Amino acid sequence: MIVLDITVMNVALPRIQTDLHFSPTGLSWVMNSYSVVFGGLLLLGGRAGDLFGRRALFIAGAALFTAASLAGGLAPTAGWLLAARVVQGIGGAMAAPNTLALLTTSFPDPKARMRVLAWFSGMSSAGFAIGLIVGGLLTEWLSWRSVLFINVPFGLVVVVLAVLNLPAAQREPAHLDLPGAVTATTGVATLAYGFISAASHGWGDPVTDITLAIGAGLLAAFLVIESRTAQPLLPLRLFTDRNRAAAYTNIFLVPMAGMSMFFFLTQFLQDVLGLSALATGFAFLPTAVLMFTMIRLIPRLLPRFGPQPVTMTGAVAMTAGLILLTTLTAHSGYFPVLFAAMLLLGCGIGLSVSPLNVIIMSNVEPHEAGAAGGALQTLQQTGASLGLAILVTVFGTAARDAGGTAQHALVGGMTVAFAVAAGIAALAFVVALTFRTRQR
């Protein structure tokens, strides 16, 4: 529900703009207000769950997210909707990292833990593709408000089932690292804002440069604070394990490359192929199906082959899919190139991402599960924001240089962006080589 909300709004944006009279630049903040707050608070939400109780943070976050979804669906003005999206981001940041921590600590058996973490990873990855399908269906059949209202019944069920079934989690006798919390939250949020500004205004824009410099400085200060704090917000020893460090690196790189598919292909399907919002959503069905298939396979593949060959195969499939997208032209249809690329990317993202959650969370200390989950999701969110900013800038430059008709320029910019994304996916393959081979 939380990950789906990142993409489900995309298809509804044109109708939101018409109904609530957003300006073209203001409309982007329907997405960005959620992303900045969600990304900025993930580390704090994870560590707060470790200290104050993951069950309580999870239930409160899910309830807040649900209430904000209802308020957003009822929004009479643009400002109301943006405020609701900010509150959604706060609720999401409370619930998401504690979801991972609760799964990790509730399943002590390694096989069961691997299975549930693979399910979690597959569900969150597929949420990006499913969001486009659900957004297309609801926007076409009902209205844009329904993409927010749909969270309400699911959110209520989640809260009720959590109250009835989740055991009370043990609280750690510790204090919250407030200097770390302030520098981490403001640093990640500032970086996210800088990446969004880069995507909108380019890397040479003064606001972009200043914001990114401030964000980088705050994160550097955060790392210094964490290295000197007895009870840090993010224990740096989480990165000393080689496999976990490589998994953290790839959880940053894979969304950098993968987000380009959802962002640019949505435009290609609607602006070049002329598909409706509903048809655009269903065009991503092969990707979603392959991701769900990988959910079923990962618990069998990972114990048998180990993380290295599984993640390497995923990175190769993802790279191949992105390379295939570089062959698109203004006259390309959905079959065969686009369909084949969708299959490869669904397989690649599923195999590349699903093992990473298992690797990161499987042997983490229980009292640090929230921090580990918060770091995982922060890197994932930051990687997606940075990747989109880089690729949108590449797209804009290439589209201007392509010349010709508007469609020719659009597709020309996209293919160059896909080539850069393929390079990032290839880098994820290189990182996958550093995983330890399976020990018999």
Side-chain angles (χ1 to χ4, degrees):
M1 185 174 69
I2 291 169
V3 175
L4 180 145
D5 207 74
I6 297 171
T7 55
V8 74
M9 299 289 288
N10 271 307
V11 181
L13 287 178
R15 298 191 186 183
I16 292 174
Q17 183 176 19
T18 302
D19 281 5
L20 298 185
H21 310 293
F22 272 96
S23 66
T25 52
L27 185 65
S28 65
W29 282 102
V30 175
M31 305 300 298
N32 297 341
S33 56
Y34 178 83
S35 299
V36 169
V37 174
F38 179 63
L41 292 175
L42 277 169
L43 274 178
L44 181 58
R47 195 54 168 162
D50 287 341
L51 302 182
F52 305 124
R54 294 162 192 148
R55 179 180 183 271
L57 263 288
F58 173 80
I59 293 171
L64 188 62
F65 185 90
T66 303
S69 298
L70 177 62
L74 297 171
T77 64
W80 181 308
L81 178 60
L82 293 181
R85 293 288 283 166
V86 168
V87 178
Q88 270 190 308
I90 296 171
M94 293 168 65
N98 289 295
T99 305
L100 257 179
L102 284 165
L103 288 174
T104 302
T105 55
S106 298
F107 292 88
D109 177 65
K111 288 185 178 179
R113 183 186 298 173
M114 181 180 296
R115 194 158 54 247
V116 296
L117 288 175
W119 268 104
F120 173 89
S121 180
M123 292 293 280
S124 59
S125 299
F128 285 103
I130 294 169
L132 295 168
I133 297 170
V134 172
L137 282 169
L138 295 175
T139 304
E140 196 82 15
W141 290 351
L142 299 173
S143 77
W144 67 265
R145 296 180 186 275
S146 61
V147 303
L148 288 161
F149 287 146
I150 193 65
N151 290 328
V152 177
F154 289 110
L156 289 173
V157 169
V158 166
V159 171
V160 170
L161 290 178
V163 169
L164 294 177
N165 293 290
L166 282 180
Q170 183 178 355
R171 292 171 57 175
E172 299 294 330
H175 72 277
L176 191 62
D177 171 23
L178 288 179
V182 171
T183 51
T185 301
T186 53
V188 173
T190 305
L191 269 187
Y193 180 86
F195 296 149
I196 290 164
S197 176
S200 303
H201 307 295
W203 294 96
D205 180 70
V207 173
T208 300
D209 296 340
I210 292 169
T211 307
L212 290 175
I214 293 172
L218 286 168
L219 288 185
F222 167 70
L223 293 176
V224 172
I225 292 169
E226 297 309 277
S227 67
R228 299 178 178 179
T229 302
Q231 295 175 331
L233 186 71
L234 176 65
L236 297 183
R237 58 182 169 273
L238 290 173
F239 298 89
T240 56
D241 179 82
R242 190 172 95 184
N243 274 9
R244 191 185 294 122
Y248 272 129
T249 303
N250 267 3
I251 209 74
F252 179 79
L253 290 173
V254 173
M256 278 186 75
M259 276 299 291
S260 65
M261 181 193 73
F262 298 108
F263 182 78
F264 291 116
L265 287 186
T266 302
Q267 297 178 58
F268 181 85
L269 291 165
Q270 293 188 357
D271 297 339
V272 179
L273 298 188
L275 299 185
S276 65
L278 181 60
T280 297
F282 275 104
F284 285 94
L285 192 58
T287 303
V289 169
L290 261 294
M291 285 181 177
F292 277 121
T293 303
M294 294 308 109
I295 297 172
R296 302 293 295 172
L297 292 178
I298 288 299
R300 298 177 185 178
L301 296 176
L302 206 54
R304 184 173 181 181
F305 299 106
Q308 190 181 71
V310 175
T311 52
M312 285 169 57
T313 303
V316 168
M318 189 176 175
T319 305
L322 289 165
I323 290 173
L324 204 54
L325 290 177
T326 64
T327 66
L328 290 175
T329 69
H331 305 291
S332 297
Y334 184 73
F335 294 98
V337 172
L338 199 51
F339 178 72
M342 291 275 196
L343 293 175
L344 283 168
L345 285 162
C347 179
I349 294 173
L351 287 176
S352 296
V353 175
S354 295
L356 301 180
N357 285 335
V358 179
I359 294 164
I360 290 169
M361 301 299 297
S362 59
N363 62 349
V364 72
E365 293 295 328
H367 66 279
E368 293 178 343
L376 184 158
Q377 291 169 327
T378 299
L379 286 168
Q380 193 171 30
Q381 183 75 8
T382 307
S385 298
L386 176 58
L388 192 57
I390 292 171
L391 295 171
V392 166
T393 306
V394 170
F395 162 78
T397 304
R400 285 192 296 272
D401 295 341
T405 64
Q407 278 197 351
H408 179 79
L410 182 72
V411 177
M414 287 180 185
T415 54
V416 176
F418 287 134
V420 175
I424 297 171
L427 185 58
F429 173 81
V430 174
V431 173
L433 292 172
T434 66
F435 283 116
R436 291 190 186 95
T437 54
R438 186 176 67 90
Q439 299 296 315
R440 289 189 178 274

